[in-house]
């Protein structure tokens, strides 16, 4: 009975905590290399270079970037679990992203929706990124596990 309860608890815990992340395609940032963004490049990761952090998977374009991530993973984890920063700020909702639409602001990675003629990175900048970031920070605390 005890092993069943332990397995059940772990399964529920992983499910709850992983809701904090946008795991489209099974990886944070849809499998794009979160370290490469800090060189102003959106680069798809390679399955040869993967790791887990905070019970979710990350993919990298090189062994070097994988090792960089392992030294300080919190630095590279995208804000708002990789959901659209604009949507979190304006609508308090989790919206998928275009992993090639991003911004590094205050040493943090922000991802954005960009499809069907709507580029939320442009809206983020036009409507005041600093104010939207404050709203998104507050909203994220309310919705991150929903």
């Amino acid at each position: 009975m005890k092993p069943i309860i332990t397995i059940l608890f772990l399964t529920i815990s992983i499910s709850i905590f992983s809701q904090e992340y946008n795991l489209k395609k099974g990886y944070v940032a849809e499998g794009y290399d979160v370290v490469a963004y800090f060189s102003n490049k959106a680069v798809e990761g390679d399955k040869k270079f993967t790791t887990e952090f905070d019970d979710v998977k990350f993919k990298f374009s090189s062994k070097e970037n994988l090792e960089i991530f392992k030294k300080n993973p919190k630095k590279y984890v995208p804000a708002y679990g990789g959901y659209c920063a604009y949507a979190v700020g304006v609508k308090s909702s989790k919206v998928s992203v275009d992993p090639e639409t991003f911004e590094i602001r205050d040493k943090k990675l922000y991802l954005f929706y960009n499809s069907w003629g709507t580029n939320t990175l442009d809206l983020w900048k036009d409507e005041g990124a600093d104010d939207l970031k404050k709203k998104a920070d507050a909203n994220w605390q309310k919705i991150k596990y929903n």
Side-chain angles (χ1 to χ4, degrees):
M1 183 71 169
K2 205 173 196 179
I4 293 172
I5 292 171
T6 302
I7 291 170
L8 182 61
F9 175 76
L10 288 173
T11 303
I12 291 169
S13 296
I14 289 169
S15 297
I16 290 171
F17 291 118
S18 62
Q19 288 179 353
E20 180 180 357
Y21 292 95
N22 181 1
L23 298 176
K24 190 171 180 185
K25 298 186 182 178
Y27 296 89
V28 172
E30 295 187 20
Y32 275 64
D33 182 335
V34 293
V35 173
Y37 285 115
F38 287 80
S39 297
N40 206 31
K41 297 176 189 167
V43 181
E44 222 171 324
D46 187 316
K47 286 183 180 178
K48 293 186 295 191
F49 310 113
T50 62
T51 192
E52 284 192 23
F53 172 75
D54 209 12
D55 295 322
V56 293
K57 294 179 185 177
F58 291 82
K59 232 181 346 178
F60 301 89
S61 59
S62 68
K63 184 175 171 123
E64 178 184 24
N65 282 5
L66 170 62
E67 296 304 320
I68 289 169
F69 178 83
K70 285 181 176 180
K71 289 178 186 172
N72 188 5
K74 288 183 180 179
K75 175 180 178 181
Y76 299 100
V77 172
Y80 320 123
Y83 289 99
C84 175
Y86 179 82
V88 172
V90 172
K91 298 181 179 182
S92 194
S93 63
K94 295 177 178 178
V95 173
S96 291
V97 297
D98 170 355
E100 295 188 5
T101 306
F102 69 96
E103 176 183 59
I104 303 296
R105 176 177 292 274
D106 301 325
K107 300 180 183 176
K108 190 72 181 163
L109 169 61
Y110 296 87
L111 297 171
F112 298 88
Y113 174 86
N114 184 5
S115 188
W116 298 96
T118 302
N119 182 336
T120 60
L121 173 57
D122 291 342
L123 296 173
W124 171 261
K125 291 177 179 177
D126 292 345
E127 295 176 21
D130 290 332
D131 288 336
L132 286 172
K133 181 186 168 309
K134 288 175 191 168
K135 289 177 185 174
D137 289 346
N139 290 343
W140 184 244
Q141 296 309 310
K142 299 172 196 167
I143 67 167
K144 72 177 165 182
Y145 297 119
N146 295 340

